[in-house]
Amino acid sequence: MNIVYSLLALVGGIAIGIQAVVNGGLGKKVGTMEASFISFFIGTAALFFTVLFFGKGNILAISEVPKMNLIGGLLGAFYVFVMVLVTPKIGVVATLMTVIVGQLLIGSIIDHFGLFGGERFAFEPTKLFALLLMLIGVFLFNK
């Protein structure tokens, strides 16, 4: 079953790559903030109808969720805004490479300390070396 989740993650990554260029183009036409809003609004509408027709959870349990778990939407909005702003300036690949390094860096910190209730996975020197190589790769790619 892990292969299914891995393939789904791969497709999600492909979607992010497409989203970067599509939202960047939208931002050129309507403005950065406006494009971010439009993108999030359409996504919100799509999720609303998905939950309405296919949802199996309990959306009313939101009052029982730790407040820290509610910042995901803000982080997502910030991410979309950054992608709309940055992609037209440095390109899709450079943007995604830098985003991926940022994701891996914060993911390593979260894993190492078990932040937000996650499992702990030690940050070893080989992981640091890999991140440094990726940062060098981003620098060389953008040079």
Side-chain angles (χ1 to χ4, degrees), residues 45-65:
L47 287 173
F48 172 77
F49 288 111
T50 303
V51 167
L52 188 64
F53 294 112
F54 304 106
K56 303 263 191 268
N58 179 9
I59 200 163
L60 299 178
I62 190 172
S63 63
E64 301 167 18
V65 173

Side-chain angles (χ1 to χ4, degrees), residues 1 9 15 34-35 39 44 55 61 81 92 112 122 139 143:
M1 192 54 111
E34 294 78 6
S39 178
T44 300
F81 174 77
V92 176
H112 181 75
F139 172 76
K143 192 161 173 66

Side-chain angles (χ1 to χ4, degrees), residues 92-112:
V92 176
V93 176
T95 300
L96 292 176
M97 284 177 69
T98 309
V99 165
I100 290 167
V101 170
Q103 289 173 328
L104 293 174
L105 178 62
I106 194 63
S108 296
I109 292 167
I110 291 168
D111 279 353
H112 181 75

Side-chain angles (χ1 to χ4, degrees), residues 4-41:
V4 172
Y5 292 124
S6 295
L7 288 173
L8 191 56
L10 179 68
V11 171
I14 290 169
I16 287 172
I18 295 168
Q19 179 192 36
V21 70
V22 169
N23 282 348
L26 180 62
K28 285 183 189 176
K29 298 284 187 197
V30 302
T32 304
M33 293 276 226
E34 294 78 6
S36 302
F37 173 77
I38 290 166
S39 178
F40 241 71
F41 180 78

